[in-house]
């Protein structure tokens, strides 16, 4: 029960990234009070934290931006095809100012616990500053890739030089001039930063456990003609994004099956998309994600590209993924990644052939040999999708802890709400398209659905909404069923929690596509929030 002197809001929002800020804007439009808590000392979420060299979005800039406000879209002009982290951070700060959002955002404050009181249907939220506030609604806008995978290598505390995690890069930047640097990891963050670090450092050692598929971004200053075309057709393009599979207009999916066309035509189609750059190659054929034979053709195409770009055949071979389907791990989009291995100051260390024994005072020891370095970069990823939620003590009805309810993996109805946790919403939570899509499209869809839902409750003076266990079970079954139809489950990826020792192996995002998913969410709402229990003040408790 909220204490009489406790500060109260209609809603508490956790996180001031793209989700949390838009959520605040929408709730204000409903006339509600909200407080946003943000651990960082600035807004921006992902783009606040990920400042490693080369960090940039890999969805085209105009697509990776808010669509909810026409004037905002008119006035903001991106400078590059794929925006850099500093430009994205400027954009989100501009949005915060333009919509006067900062006065309800409390920075440098980490939410530690959220506890639901059944009698009052209120959440009590406590922070690391000792504040305790109450709110009818608690919205977790905590991000999917916001908790770094903490390095846990033998001997790492003995290392005398500086270490950096790509997901927590120093704000003042790092000068690697004249330094010998080890980079551990070869995911998207590494693939973006390695060419930049290599251009500066004296020597760089890339420690690779699993090679990734990466395709060229072909980044450039934004093409005025392409921008004019986008703006002239913006409403239709935005609609196409929302109705699509990935939320990316440029993905341009086809209905053609890889095995239906000749080998020459297949090659030509892959070449065309390789030349365009970015994710579109992943949508060349409709069956690439479900038919191994079709997928093998894409894998072989990219493998040949790697072999053609990397001069040393042994290095090239080590960079070619061998044991999982193309696209089953998150596809990377790079600028000069493979070519970087042709530089004299770049060494690839294949950890499968030469295991990382330990970190020493002077460097890294692989297969019994010590390699002296001045700095180590951990590009080892995140405790994805559930990491941020599992670090907040969330207790729902009957005092049950979310961490216990999710012990065997996350369970959620539509990735929006969890049975037993009324009025607690998760933006782009597990069970929604989320990380498999253009995050901006999925964030806007979730924020709008949640604010409509809250508006529905407010209009009817209802006290709470809660996912019903049967509806949640059916949705979780569906999420798993669809995932199991794809090749995605054949890779040990962070989508499955496979990168975190001990994490349950469950395919977390919904792979049915943002368009179909949106229809489902809209249908649920149109049917009076089918699968949810809505309660009036008289019946809560
Ligand atoms: P990641 O994709 O999880 O890559 C982590 C890398 O570290 C992998 O190569 C992994 O190898 C390796 N690794 C982890 N633990 C290791 C260990 N103990 N020993 C040796 N190697 C280890 O992480 P990320 O690169 O930070 O990217 C995460 C996600 O963030 C991306 O998939 C993407 O969704 C997003 N992201 C987006 C952008 C963008 O939009 N431009 C940029 C960066 C990141 P294994 O594969 O063997 O596990």
């Amino acid at each position: 029960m909220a204490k009489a002197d406790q500060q109260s809001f209609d809603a508490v929002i956790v996180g001031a990234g793209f989700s949390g800020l838009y959520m605040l804007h929408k709730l204000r439009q409903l006339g509600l009070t909200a407080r946003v808590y943000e651990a960082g000392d600035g807004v921006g979420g992902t783009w606040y934290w990920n400042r490693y060299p080369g960090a940039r979005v890999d969805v085209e800039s105009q697509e990776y931006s808010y669509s909810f406000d026409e004037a905002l879209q008119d006035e903001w002009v991106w400078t590059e095809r794929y925006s850099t982290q500093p430009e994205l951070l400027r954009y989100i700060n501009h949005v915060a100012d333009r919509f006067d959002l900062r006065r309800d955002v409390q920075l440098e404050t980490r939410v530690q616990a959220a506890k639901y009181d059944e009698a009052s249907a209120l959440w009590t939220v406590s922070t690391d500053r000792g504040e305790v506030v109450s709110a009818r609604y608690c919205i977790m806008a905590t991000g999917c890739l916001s908790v770094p995978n903490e390095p846990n290598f033998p001997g790492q505390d003995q290392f005398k030089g500086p270490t950096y995690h790509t997901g927590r890069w120093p704000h003042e930047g790092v000068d690697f001039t004249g330094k010998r640097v080890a980079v551990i990891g070869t995911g998207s963050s590494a693939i973006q930063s390695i060419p930049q670090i290599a251009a500066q450092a004296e020597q760089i050692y890339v420690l690779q456990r699993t090679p990734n598929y990466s395709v060229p971004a072909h980044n450039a200053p934004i093409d005025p003609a392409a921008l004019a075309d986008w703006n002239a057709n913006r409403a239709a393009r935005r609609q196409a994004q929302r109705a699509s599979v990935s939320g990316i207009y440029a993905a341009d999916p086809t209905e053609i099956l890889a095995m239906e066309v000749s080998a020459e035509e297949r090659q030509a189609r892959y070449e065309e998309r390789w030349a365009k750059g970015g994710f579109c190659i992943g949508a060349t054929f409709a069956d690439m994600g479900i038919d191994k034979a079709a997928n093998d053709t894409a894998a072989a195409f990219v493998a040949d590209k790697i072999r053609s770009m990397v001069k040393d055949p042994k290095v090239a071979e080590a960079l070619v993924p061998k044991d999982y389907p193309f696209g089953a791990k998150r596809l990377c989009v790079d600028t000069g990644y493979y070519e970087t291995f042709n530089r004299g100051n770049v060494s690839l260390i294949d950890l499968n052939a030469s295991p990382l024994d330990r970190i020493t005072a002077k460097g890294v020891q692989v297969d019994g040999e010590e390699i002296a370095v001045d700095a180590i970069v951990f590009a080892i990823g995140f405790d994805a999708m559930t990491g941020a939620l599992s670090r907040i003590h969330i207790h729902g009805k009957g005092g049950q802890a979310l961490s216990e309810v999710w012990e065997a993996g996350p369970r959620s109805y539509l990735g929006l709400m969890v049975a037993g946790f009324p009025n607690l919403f998760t933006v782009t939570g597990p069970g929604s398209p989320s990380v498999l899509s253009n995050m901006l499209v999925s964030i806007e869809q979730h924020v709008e659905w949640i604010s409509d839902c809250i508006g529905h409750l407010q209009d009817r003076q209802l006290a709470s909404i809660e996912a019903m266990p049967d509806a949640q079970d059916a949705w979780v079954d569906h999420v798993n069923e669809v995932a199991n139809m794809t090749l995605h489950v054949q890779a040990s990826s962070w989508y499955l929690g496979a990168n975190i020792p001990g994490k349950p192996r469950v395919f977390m995002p919904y792979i049915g596509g943002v368009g179909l998913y949106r229809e489902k969410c809209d249908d649920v709402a149109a049917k009076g929030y089918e699968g949810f229990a809505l309660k009036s003040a008289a019946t809560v408790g």
Side-chain angles (χ1 to χ4, degrees):
M1 176 74 91
K3 295 200 186 81
D5 59 348
Q6 199 164 289
Q7 210 179 355
S8 76
F9 303 95
D10 292 315
V12 160
I13 299 166
V14 187
F18 279 73
S19 305
L21 290 182
Y22 185 36
M23 195 74 244
L24 171 62
H25 180 61
K26 290 298 287 180
L27 293 183
R28 278 202 194 148
Q29 287 179 334
L30 292 175
L32 301 184
T33 59
R35 164 68 55 87
V36 181
Y37 290 113
E38 165 58 51
D41 71 0
V43 301
T46 283
W47 303 107
Y48 169 89
W49 295 106
N50 288 273
R51 300 173 188 239
Y52 58 83
R56 64 173 74 242
V57 67
D58 52 17
V59 172
E60 293 188 30
S61 305
Q62 69 278 8
E63 296 212 45
Y64 190 88
S65 61
Y66 290 119
S67 73
F68 69 83
D69 190 275
E70 291 301 319
L72 172 66
Q73 295 191 85
D74 286 337
E75 76 201 9
W76 187 269
V77 182
W78 298 102
T79 63
E80 292 183 63
R81 183 175 173 190
Y82 300 94
S83 305
T84 60
Q85 173 273 330
E87 189 165 4
L88 284 154
L89 195 57
R90 279 199 296 281
Y91 173 73
I92 194 67
N93 274 283
H94 169 74
V95 170
D97 291 330
R98 191 185 197 291
F99 297 100
D100 187 23
L101 299 175
R102 293 188 201 275
R103 61 189 158 86
D104 290 322
V105 179
Q106 185 171 317
L107 300 171
E108 294 181 271
T109 308
R110 188 173 284 282
V111 167
Q112 290 183 317
K115 197 163 183 274
Y116 185 67
D117 176 67
E118 286 172 63
S120 61
L122 293 176
W123 282 91
T124 300
V125 176
S126 37
T127 76
D128 62 355
R129 288 177 171 240
E131 282 155 307
V132 181
V133 301
S134 71
R136 169 92 37 218
Y137 310 105
C138 186
I139 299 149
M140 294 296 174
T142 41
C144 299
L145 295 158
S146 49
V147 175
N149 177 17
E150 291 299 335
N152 186 22
F153 295 92
Q156 68 185 38
D157 294 340
Q158 289 163 21
F159 183 62
K160 298 274 187 257
T163 62
Y164 308 97
H165 194 297
T166 46
R168 289 288 179 273
W169 205 257
H171 289 198
E172 63 280 12
V174 181
D175 184 359
F176 289 114
T177 307
K179 306 274 190 233
R180 298 158 302 171
V181 184
V183 177
I184 304 180
T186 49
S188 297
S189 304
I191 280 175
Q192 288 190 328
S193 55
I194 285 166
Q196 304 261 329
I197 298 173
Q200 202 178 45
E202 180 186 305
Q203 181 69 34
I204 168 171
Y205 300 92
V206 177
L207 277 63
Q208 171 187 271
R209 188 164 70 180
T210 313
N212 258 293
Y213 290 99
S214 187
V215 297
H218 299 316
N219 186 45
I222 207 146
D223 174 6
L227 192 59
D229 178 50
W230 175 267
N231 284 331
N233 298 289
R234 196 166 68 203
R237 299 273 166 90
R238 289 299 201 181
Q239 198 43 42
Q241 282 186 297
R242 294 182 193 114
S244 69
V245 173
S246 64
I248 304 174
Y249 177 79
D252 190 20
T254 71
E255 295 296 311
I256 305 161
L257 303 180
M259 307 315 284
E260 272 181 354
V261 299
S262 67
E264 293 72 30
E265 182 174 347
R266 242 187 345 254
Q267 183 75 9
R269 287 180 180 271
Y270 286 137
E271 288 287 2
E272 188 190 335
R273 285 172 182 251
W274 183 269
K276 273 189 191 159
F279 286 124
C280 67
I281 195 164
T284 313
F285 297 107
D287 51 351
M288 287 165 64
I290 48 174
D291 177 2
K292 182 70 169 52
N295 189 283
D296 285 347
T297 65
F301 175 83
V302 178
D304 282 349
K305 286 289 182 197
I306 296 170
R307 292 182 187 114
S308 73
M309 286 183 282
V310 180
K311 287 186 186 139
D312 181 332
K314 264 179 74 183
V315 175
E317 224 35 57
L319 287 166
V320 171
K322 302 273 181 352
D323 59 0
Y324 64 94
F326 172 79
K329 278 179 177 242
R330 166 67 152 68
L331 189 59
C332 302
V333 180
D334 71 275
T335 298
Y337 175 64
Y338 293 113
E339 295 86 340
T340 296
F341 291 91
N342 297 331
R343 296 176 64 107
N345 68 337
V346 179
S347 305
L348 179 68
I349 296 169
D350 177 357
L351 296 180
N352 297 304
S354 309
L356 175 57
D357 306 325
R358 55 186 293 104
I359 292 176
T360 66
K362 289 191 197 146
V364 291
Q365 182 183 308
V366 288
D367 204 16
E369 187 195 338
E370 188 179 55
I371 299 171
V373 294
D374 302 303
I376 300 176
V377 174
F378 297 113
I380 57 172
F382 301 88
D383 183 354
M385 301 214 71
T386 54
L389 294 171
S390 68
R391 280 160 179 78
I392 301 172
H393 299 286
I394 302 172
H395 291 265
K397 276 165 64 178
Q400 62 186 333
L402 185 67
S403 55
E404 282 169 21
V405 174
W406 281 8
E407 205 168 11
R411 299 183 69 78
S412 158
Y413 182 33
L414 298 171
L416 280 160
M417 298 196 84
V418 183
F421 296 80
N423 292 356
L424 179 88
F425 297 90
T426 52
V427 183
T428 63
S432 73
S434 178
V435 291
L436 293 174
S437 68
N438 176 350
M439 287 305 289
L440 261 287
V441 173
S442 286
I443 285 170
E444 286 197 329
Q445 187 248 335
H446 262 198
V447 167
E448 287 161 14
W449 192 95
I450 293 167
S451 59
D452 287 350
C453 173
I454 289 176
H456 181 93
L457 299 181
Q458 293 292 117
D459 290 348
R460 289 159 185 76
Q461 295 183 328
L462 295 169
S464 72
I465 180 168
E466 179 188 351
M468 295 204 291
D470 287 357
Q472 177 169 289
D473 289 347
W475 182 252
V476 171
D477 288 348
H478 174 63
V479 170
N480 288 326
E481 191 186 347
V482 181
N484 287 329
M485 288 163 59
T486 73
L487 302 172
H488 267 77
V489 290
Q490 294 184 16
S492 294
S493 68
W494 58 257
Y495 296 136
L496 277 154
N499 63 330
I500 303 294
K503 194 165 171 171
R505 216 177 156 111
V506 173
F507 194 80
M508 294 182 282
Y510 176 54
I511 202 167
V514 299
L516 281 177
Y517 172 78
R518 177 185 294 265
E519 278 177 28
K520 169 71 180 170
C521 292
D522 290 350
D523 187 54
V524 161
K527 290 179 176 153
Y529 293 92
E530 187 180 49
F532 290 97
L534 281 65
K535 292 191 178 171
S536 65
T539 57
V540 291

